[in-house]
Amino acid sequence: MPKIIALQSTDPTLIDLLHEQGYTVIDMYEAHRNRELVDAYLYTTYHPDALTAYHSVAEPTDIILENEGEIDPLPTTLMLNISGLQPEQVLLILGRRL
């Protein structure tokens, strides 16, 4: 299953490189509106509304009292400020951390 990247930037070079590497790229605001669970969140500037909103979506679910089995933890989302990074640098970081 391809990794899903929520991207704040509209850099066509980065978007093309991410697609070439097999990542699914969606707009970060679209991800928020649709409450998408993503593997990485790439932003270009500090944007407190976006970060707060995403973390509110990614909170663990409430414990169901009737269920005695283990609840699978939600996957960890990589939060990465890509300001000043070249597209190739972003790919290297994603390759190491995802």
Side-chain angles (χ1 to χ4, degrees):
M1 177 172 243
K3 300 282 186 183
I4 300 173
I5 308 296
L7 183 62
Q8 181 182 24
S9 170
T10 58
D11 179 355
T13 304
L14 176 58
I15 293 169
D16 290 344
L17 284 173
L18 289 168
H19 283 296
E20 287 172 12
Q21 295 297 313
Y23 294 108
T24 300
V25 180
I26 59 176
D27 179 74
M28 71 165 214
Y29 299 107
E30 186 73 23
H32 172 66
R33 271 193 302 275
N34 293 331
R35 298 189 161 279
E36 297 277 344
L37 289 178
V38 298
D39 297 292
Y41 178 75
L42 308 180
Y43 59 99
T44 55
T45 58
Y46 178 67
H47 194 280
D49 293 338
L51 296 176
T52 302
Y54 184 81
H55 283 298
S56 68
V57 171
E59 288 179 9
T61 56
D62 292 336
I63 296 173
I64 301 171
L65 297 176
E66 294 85 25
N67 185 359
E68 293 181 12
E70 272 187 45
I71 296 175
D72 292 333
L74 290 175
T76 306
T77 301
L78 172 64
M79 305 295 281
L80 181 63
N81 184 343
I82 61 170
S83 297
L85 296 177
Q86 296 299 314
E88 294 80 12
Q89 293 173 303
V90 174
L91 286 177
L92 286 173
I93 294 169
L94 289 176
R96 289 184 195 139
R97 297 184 62 189
L98 286 183

